[in-house]
């Protein structure tokens, strides 16, 4: 037996490979072994494990996280005294093969059809400024904290807010025609704000908007989600119509403030959904009261009853009333959802409760073509 073999007999090389191969890539949600990202694994005479990982892109933003998790996994194997992690980039052929596997054989189309187990909620409002994006972001984090696999599609292509609310500003990784959503606070994110420089305006007309939404649904690797939240632009414009066409099984969540002006405009979105036979999951009244940061006393700054009136108008349920407090505003400005930054705030407690009670409303079969088979 050679000296090298003698010195390495206490370290099970296959155990090291299994341990590091089980580490999950934070963007693909696949293990390194499943994604074909695990390359060379060997152990030196001094017990140092040398692991080479193949990255989807040389500039992978999750490199340090992967290095830490691979090191921790290898360190669990008896006899390993240290871990060295090296990275190399996948070849073009490997990237193409991975992209094909992720698509599951689909060249076009998205995963959120009638047979999907993903619950899709389209979060809408009649007008801007009612806190729709803040509600979306915090509901998403609350669902993720409850153990759900959650994605957020920022479909507000003119006034995107999700990058700011989650504190994420980098572009997504592109993998041979397939984009990988960004990850923050346990939520998969996609926004046009990740694809443009700084605060450059997006000036798109109807056909371009339609194509962009199609690509965000079909050319993004969302993986197996439990819930997809779609942050719609205000009103009843092209993007909302496109979503109704592409995702007929999506459920509408209408956000309003108690103010009559906001409630009456939001009712138009609810009626449009009803006319299109889109199921309505309910209404969330945001900024129901202003909570004093000094004494916690509530003030009905925008009036009362708007959420209940909207729910009655469009024939659905008022799911909750979210107060406006200082932590909810400051967390959004700082780029961290209040669900993480201020878990004890009154607004967060109500949003957490709403997330836990989100209903599932199925689209009616009336007027819908059914697939029939002859036995």
């Amino acid at each position: 037996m050679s000296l090298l073999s003698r010195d390495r007999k206490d370290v099970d090389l296959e155990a090291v490979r299994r341990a590091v191969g089980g580490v999950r890539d934070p963007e693909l949600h696949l293990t390194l072994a499943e994604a074909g990202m695990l390359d060379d694994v060997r152990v030196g005479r001094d017990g140092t494990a040398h692991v080479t990982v193949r990255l989807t892109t040389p500039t992978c933003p999750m490199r340090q996280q992967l290095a830490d998790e691979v090191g921790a996994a290898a360190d669990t194997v008896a006899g390993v005294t240290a871990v060295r992690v090296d990275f190399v980039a996948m070849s073009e052929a490997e990237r193409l093969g991975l992209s094909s596997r992720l698509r599951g054989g689909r060249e076009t189309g998205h995963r959120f059809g009638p047979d999907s187990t993903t619950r899709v909620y389209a979060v809408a409002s009649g007008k801007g400024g009612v806190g729709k994006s803040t509600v979306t972001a915090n509901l998403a984090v609350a669902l993720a904290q409850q153990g759900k696999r959650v994605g957020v599609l920022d479909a507000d292509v003119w006034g995107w807010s999700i990058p700011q609310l989650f504190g994420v500003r980098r572009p997504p990784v592109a993998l041979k025609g397939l984009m990988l959503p960004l990850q923050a606070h346990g939520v998969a994110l996609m926004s046009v704000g990740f694809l443009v420089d700084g605060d450059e305006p997006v000036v798109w007309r109807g056909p371009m908007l339609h194509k962009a939404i199609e690509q965000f649904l079909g050319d993004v690797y969302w993986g197996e989600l439990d819930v997809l939240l779609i942050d719609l632009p205000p009103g009843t414009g092209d993007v909302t119509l496109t979503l109704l066409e592409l995702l007929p099984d999506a459920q509408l969540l209408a956000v309003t403030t108690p103010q009559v002006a906001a409630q009456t405009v939001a009712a138009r979105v609810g009626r449009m959904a009803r006319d299109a036979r889109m199921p309505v999951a309910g209404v969330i009244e945001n900024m129901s009261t202003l909570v004093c940061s000094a004494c916690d006393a509530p003030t009905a700054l925008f009036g009362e009853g708007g959420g209940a009136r909207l729910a009655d108008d469009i024939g659905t349920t008022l799911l909750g009333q979210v107060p406006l407090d200082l932590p909810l505003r400051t967390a959004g400005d700082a780029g961290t959802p209040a669900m993480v930054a201020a878990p004890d705030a009154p607004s967060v407690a109500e949003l957490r409760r709403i997330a836990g009670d989100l209903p599932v409303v199925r689209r009616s079969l009336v007027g819908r073509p059914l697939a029939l088979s002859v036995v």
Side-chain angles (χ1 to χ4, degrees):
M1 181 179 290
S2 69
L3 178 62
L4 177 61
S5 299
R6 245 190 345 266
D7 289 339
R8 289 179 54 187
K9 66 181 180 180
D10 291 334
V11 179
D12 186 338
L13 187 60
E14 284 306 309
V16 177
R17 179 172 286 276
R18 285 194 301 271
V20 298
V23 172
R24 288 192 173 273
D25 180 89
E27 293 185 307
L28 296 175
H29 298 292
L30 298 175
T31 66
L32 298 184
E34 291 169 337
M37 295 174 65
L38 186 60
D39 196 344
D40 185 43
V41 179
R42 53 192 175 84
V43 179
R45 288 185 294 180
D46 61 350
T48 299
H50 299 264
V51 182
T52 303
V53 176
R54 305 188 74 83
L55 297 175
T56 55
T57 173
T59 58
C60 175
M62 313 303 290
R63 177 189 296 249
Q64 188 56 54
Q65 180 178 340
L66 272 175
D68 293 342
E69 293 182 3
V70 167
D75 199 44
T76 63
V77 179
V80 172
T81 59
V83 184
R84 175 175 174 177
V85 183
D86 295 311
F87 295 100
V88 296
M90 284 184 171
S91 67
E92 290 301 299
E94 288 170 332
R95 285 164 55 85
L96 184 60
L98 177 57
S99 176
S100 179
R101 291 201 303 276
L102 294 178
R103 285 186 181 274
R106 294 180 304 108
E107 292 301 322
T108 58
H110 57 78
R111 298 170 179 263
F112 308 114
D115 298 328
S116 172
T117 59
T118 303
R119 290 186 285 157
V120 181
Y121 293 96
V123 187
S125 66
K127 62 194 295 292
V130 301
K132 168 181 54 62
S133 298
T134 298
V135 167
T136 301
N138 284 283
L139 285 179
V141 176
L143 289 165
Q145 290 176 347
Q146 293 165 14
K148 303 289 194 302
R149 297 165 297 182
V150 186
V152 171
L153 169 55
D154 187 356
D156 193 347
V157 295
W158 300 292
W160 64 84
S161 300
I162 293 301
Q164 166 62 38
L165 292 170
F166 278 88
V168 181
R169 293 288 184 177
R170 59 182 175 82
V173 172
L175 189 64
K176 291 298 181 181
L178 195 65
M179 289 186 291
L180 305 183
L182 278 63
Q183 306 291 324
H185 306 295
V187 180
L189 308 170
M190 183 53 62
S191 170
V192 71
F194 300 143
L195 306 174
V196 298
D197 293 330
D199 294 321
E200 284 295 314
V202 174
V203 186
W204 289 348
R205 295 183 184 272
M208 293 181 68
L209 293 170
H210 184 91
K211 183 62 176 176
I213 298 302
E214 276 188 320
Q215 290 186 304
F216 281 156
L217 292 171
D219 292 336
V220 171
Y221 177 66
W222 291 104
E224 298 301 323
L225 296 179
D226 296 309
V227 180
L228 175 65
L229 295 170
I230 302 177
D231 186 17
L232 292 174
T236 57
D238 288 337
V239 174
T240 304
L241 294 172
T242 290
L243 261 300
L244 285 172
E245 176 185 333
L246 295 175
L247 297 171
D249 291 287
Q251 307 164 68
L252 184 77
L253 276 177
V255 178
T256 185
T257 65
Q259 195 172 12
V260 173
Q263 169 245 315
T264 54
V265 177
R268 298 170 195 162
V269 179
R271 293 189 196 105
M272 182 188 71
R274 185 177 59 196
D275 293 344
R277 296 194 176 92
M278 182 183 194
V280 180
V283 170
I284 298 174
E285 183 184 88
N286 195 31
M287 307 182 198
S288 58
T289 58
L290 173 64
V291 179
C292 175
S293 59
C295 64
D296 293 333
T299 301
L301 184 65
F302 295 108
E304 297 177 328
R309 289 192 299 271
L310 176 60
D312 289 343
D313 193 1
I314 60 178
T316 189
T317 304
L318 177 62
L319 300 177
Q321 296 170 291
V322 182
L324 174 62
D325 50 34
L326 193 59
L328 188 66
R329 196 274 300 166
T330 56
D333 288 349
T336 303
M339 197 64 59
V340 175
D344 298 324
S347 58
V348 169
E350 179 67 350
L351 285 163
R352 188 183 297 115
R353 185 196 64 77
I354 294 170
D357 295 336
L358 275 181
V360 179
V361 185
R362 303 297 182 188
R363 186 184 180 193
S364 171
L365 297 179
V366 175
R368 184 171 183 174
L370 301 176
L372 301 177
S373 59
V374 179
V375 180

